[in-house]
Amino acid sequence: MKPTGPIPPAFAGQQRLAIGGEDAEALVARAGDTPLFVYDLGLVADRVAALRRALPAKLGIHYAIKANPHADLLAGIASLVDGLDVASGGELARALTVKPAAQISFAGPGKRDDELAAAIEAGATLNAESAGEVARALAVGERLGIAPRIAVRVNPDFELRGSGMRMGGRASPFGVDAGQVPALVRTIRDTGAAWRGFHIFAGSQSLDTAAIIETQAATVALAARLAEEAGAAPPLVNLGGGFGIPYFAGDAPVAIAAIGEALGEALANRAAVLADSRFAIELGRWLVGEAGVYLTRVVDVKDSGGERFVVVDGGLHHQLAASGNFGTVVRRNYPLAIAARMGEPATQTASVVGCLCTPLDRLGDKVALPQVAVGDLVAVFLAGAYGASASPTSFLGHPPARELVVNGTASHGSR
Ligand SMILES: *Cc1c(COP(=O)(O)O)cnc(C)c1O
């Protein structure tokens, strides 16, 4: 038997799985079929509210929509956060349907000229990833007769410790090396473009509270140093995010109260050059990851070589991350459960495998389960971020998963 990660608090302790107060089977009936992603917008609202309580009062909270761009989820989240961070022309178009351009920033390498033009025409901020991109944005702005709004994404000279995906402190396709930033800021300002500040993102999926605190303090200090060298105060400093969520056995959540307190101190003691700057953090996974559950139905139960296999109608084509093939080195089990039997004791060890004809398609490896029968619903938790939109949907020709947002209008934050 191998351990699974912790079931998120909102669902742990249930007898039969309900999401947003509605039974999992009823949700499947409402959506029409399995496999199904359900996103509880009420849980997202709770996360945002908890962050606002923990973080310094004036700090902006941005949502990085690549974590989950589902239209209904995005519409709901847009009213809760202060900004949306996008990373493609497609995401920009989605974001513009739910948020004013002044609250949208566009990061990511390889922005094409037509994507730059779309952002400049709309009035969104470009988080420039290189000097070459700045030059192209200025040329596009010239052609359109619009001064582009440009922030410089900084490749910091440090990285977020304990981060699942490091994005700083070394040669990187992301951002401008810190040493080259002041000169680039001067170039932007000299051309009459609207310089919007710095975007400094040092890593993702960190559960190390001390490392996040240290990185945020270093980020504020780096912004001050670069601003002084550039001779200009940044209107906005986007401090990045990188807060992880507990996926695996032994993982514990980050302590947002401690992070908020330390960030409050770092900002209170910031250098004079940053006195009038606004600050924001951008989060994807932490805001939406725990709010999503992937529901898939048992099609077959078979024994082979002394092991039991529970075969479901979903798999890695919808939820690649749970199979261990998205950004992890060692495969470990996400939390999962038999939806209608969460209160029953485990009586067997079985592997939950998907319907794809590849040995990679394993949602649970030798996990402890109660009795399981064909027709049961399996719930794979932590499916709200980097699930449906980050999986190889076309692989093997099965239909895409359905997606349903619950708690969209009811009583945000009342639970
Ligand atoms: C992916 C990404 C995020 C979101 O990261 P999470 O780990 O989901 O919070 C934020 N900012 C940038 C620049 C990103 O590329």
Side-chain angles (χ1 to χ4, degrees):
M1 203 264 285
K2 294 183 182 171
T4 55
I7 292 177
F11 308 112
Q14 296 187 358
Q15 301 294 304
R16 283 178 67 91
L17 178 64
I19 307 166
E22 199 170 344
D23 190 81
E25 283 290 356
L27 290 164
V28 170
R30 185 138 79 81
D33 206 349
T34 50
L36 170 67
F37 285 92
V38 183
Y39 312 121
D40 184 345
L41 196 51
L43 294 179
V44 177
D46 291 350
R47 292 292 257 196
V48 176
L51 258 194
R52 293 222 188 266
R53 283 194 298 274
L55 295 178
K58 284 188 184 158
L59 191 83
I61 298 174
H62 294 188
Y63 175 53
I65 84 174
K66 83 167 186 281
N68 188 331
H70 184 267
D72 297 346
L73 183 82
L74 190 57
I77 228 176
S79 65
L80 302 170
V81 298
D82 307 302
L84 296 176
D85 293 319
V86 304
S88 73
E91 287 191 351
L92 173 66
R94 284 186 186 215
L96 284 167
T97 65
V98 293
K99 213 51 172 171
Q103 294 167 38
I104 298 172
S105 55
F106 182 179
K111 299 183 195 75
R112 291 161 43 119
D113 283 5
D114 56 354
E115 294 177 297
L116 296 174
I120 292 167
E121 270 181 314
T125 296
L126 292 164
N127 290 340
E129 303 276 352
S130 73
E133 189 174 279
V134 167
R136 285 192 298 116
L138 293 173
V140 170
E142 183 94 81
R143 175 163 60 72
L144 295 171
I146 304 170
R149 297 159 63 89
I150 304 178
V152 175
R153 177 160 177 192
V154 181
N155 176 25
D157 34 22
F158 50 82
E159 64 192 11
L160 176 52
R161 266 194 298 122
S163 168
M165 288 178 212
R166 283 173 300 216
M167 292 196 176
R170 57 177 73 179
S172 171
F174 309 110
V176 178
D177 288 359
Q180 300 167 18
V181 167
L184 187 59
V185 170
R186 284 193 291 271
T187 302
I188 293 168
R189 284 167 48 85
D190 288 349
T191 61
W195 179 54
R196 300 306 303 153
F198 296 123
H199 174 214
I200 308 177
F201 180 78
S204 187
Q205 180 53 22
S206 175
L207 292 172
D208 185 338
T209 297
I212 291 171
I213 287 173
E214 193 181 291
T215 299
Q216 288 185 333
T219 303
V220 174
L222 176 61
R225 197 180 86 215
L226 296 175
E228 269 157 19
E229 285 176 28
L236 175 69
V237 180
N238 179 333
L239 298 168
F243 300 7
I245 57 174
Y247 284 103
F248 306 120
D251 284 356
V254 293
I256 56 168
I259 291 170
E261 202 171 313
L263 184 55
E265 268 172 47
L267 293 180
N269 298 323
R270 68 188 185 268
V273 68
L274 300 180
D276 295 327
S277 301
R278 289 182 302 115
F279 292 84
I281 59 166
E282 56 174 356
L283 298 172
R285 186 191 313 270
W286 193 89
L287 291 176
V288 296
E290 292 189 7
V293 182
Y294 179 59
L295 298 172
T296 174
R297 206 175 286 287
V298 177
V299 176
D300 195 11
V301 178
K302 62 181 274 188
D303 294 324
S304 169
E307 291 184 25
R308 175 151 294 178
F309 294 89
V310 173
V311 188
V312 296
D313 65 358
L316 72 77
H317 55 311
H318 300 150
Q319 183 45 343
L320 181 66
S323 76
N325 294 292
F326 187 70
T328 45
V329 180
V330 181
R331 197 209 168 285
R332 289 174 292 173
N333 288 317
Y334 275 38
L336 57 79
I338 307 303
R341 307 177 194 264
M342 285 181 70
E344 295 179 20
T347 55
Q348 59 179 332
T349 296
S351 291
V352 177
V353 299
C355 59
L356 300 192
C357 206
T358 160
L360 298 179
D361 195 6
R362 194 168 280 233
L363 298 174
D365 186 36
K366 301 187 180 72
V367 296
L369 293 176
Q371 287 317 298
V372 183
V374 169
D376 281 347
L377 272 185
V378 174
V380 183
F381 297 97
L382 304 173
Y386 305 108
S389 70
S391 301
T393 310
S394 301
F395 188 35
L396 270 147
H398 293 283
R402 292 161 196 246
E403 295 177 88
L404 186 66
V405 173
V406 298
N407 249 328
T409 48
S411 59
H412 284 159
S414 68
R415 279 158 319 122

